[in-house]
């Protein structure tokens, strides 16, 4: 299940960047945007399965879940505001911070890969 979840968010990130580049070039991205929304459902479904499959749900897992939902909201806000040619600079700043925290928590917590050996919390 974890591989499906990771594959989902990697595909979402790649598709998000492709859509954003296409928007800047003025191309139609409706179909790709709808495919991205289907991938959101996969990410949310697998994330909920992983969360509720845990023996003990700690604060860090709840924080990671909330930040994951916020990341999906940021995907949508960047794409929709970018399509309307509104400023998205503040959203990109939030995007980078949330992505960095999500990657750190995802690799730090026991279900993730063990890249980080130092316990911060």
């Amino acid at each position: 299940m974890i591989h499906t979840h990771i594959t989902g968010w990697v595909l979402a990130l790649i598709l998000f960047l492709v859509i954003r580049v296409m928007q800047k070039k003025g191309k139609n991205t409706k179909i790709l945007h709808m495919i991205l929304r289907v991938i959101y459902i996969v990410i949310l479904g697998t994330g909920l399965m992983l969360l509720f499959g845990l023996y003990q749900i700690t604060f860090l897992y709840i924080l990671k879940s909330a930040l994951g939902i916020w990341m999906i909201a940021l995907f949508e806000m960047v794409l929709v505001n970018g399509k309307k040619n509104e400023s998205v600079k503040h959203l990109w700043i939030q995007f980078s911070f949330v992505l960095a925290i999500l990657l750190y928590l995802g690799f730090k917590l026991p279900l993730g890969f063990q890249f980080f050996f130092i316990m911060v919390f």
Side-chain angles (χ1 to χ4, degrees):
M1 189 56 55
I2 197 161
H3 295 290
T4 307
H5 186 70
I6 292 172
T7 303
W9 62 256
V10 167
L11 285 174
L13 189 60
I14 292 169
L15 192 56
F16 166 76
L17 294 173
V18 167
I19 293 170
R20 188 64 188 122
V21 168
M22 287 178 67
Q23 279 181 345
K24 285 194 172 247
K25 293 181 179 181
K27 297 188 178 183
N28 188 4
T29 59
K30 278 186 177 184
I31 294 173
L32 290 177
H33 201 161
M34 293 308 275
I35 293 170
L36 181 61
R37 288 177 178 152
V38 170
I39 294 174
Y40 294 159
I41 295 170
V42 170
I43 293 170
L44 288 172
T46 57
L48 286 172
M49 282 195 223
L50 288 170
L51 182 66
F52 290 121
L54 292 172
Y55 175 71
Q56 182 179 3
I57 300 174
T58 62
F59 171 74
L60 290 178
Y61 282 111
I62 295 170
L63 176 65
K64 186 174 181 303
S65 300
L67 287 174
I69 293 170
W70 182 246
M71 179 58 84
I72 290 174
L74 284 170
F75 278 163
E76 279 297 304
M77 287 188 283
V78 168
L79 291 178
V80 170
N81 287 349
K83 188 175 183 178
K84 295 177 184 177
N85 292 324
E86 296 176 4
S87 175
V88 291
K89 185 176 181 180
H90 62 286
L91 295 173
W92 278 111
I93 294 169
Q94 289 180 46
F95 183 89
S96 61
F97 281 122
V98 172
L99 182 63
I101 294 169
L102 278 173
L103 288 175
Y104 176 75
L105 285 176
F107 291 129
K108 178 191 175 299
L109 291 170
L111 282 180
F113 300 105
Q114 299 302 316
F115 289 132
F116 302 111
F117 296 107
I118 300 172
M119 298 286 276
V120 174
F121 295 103

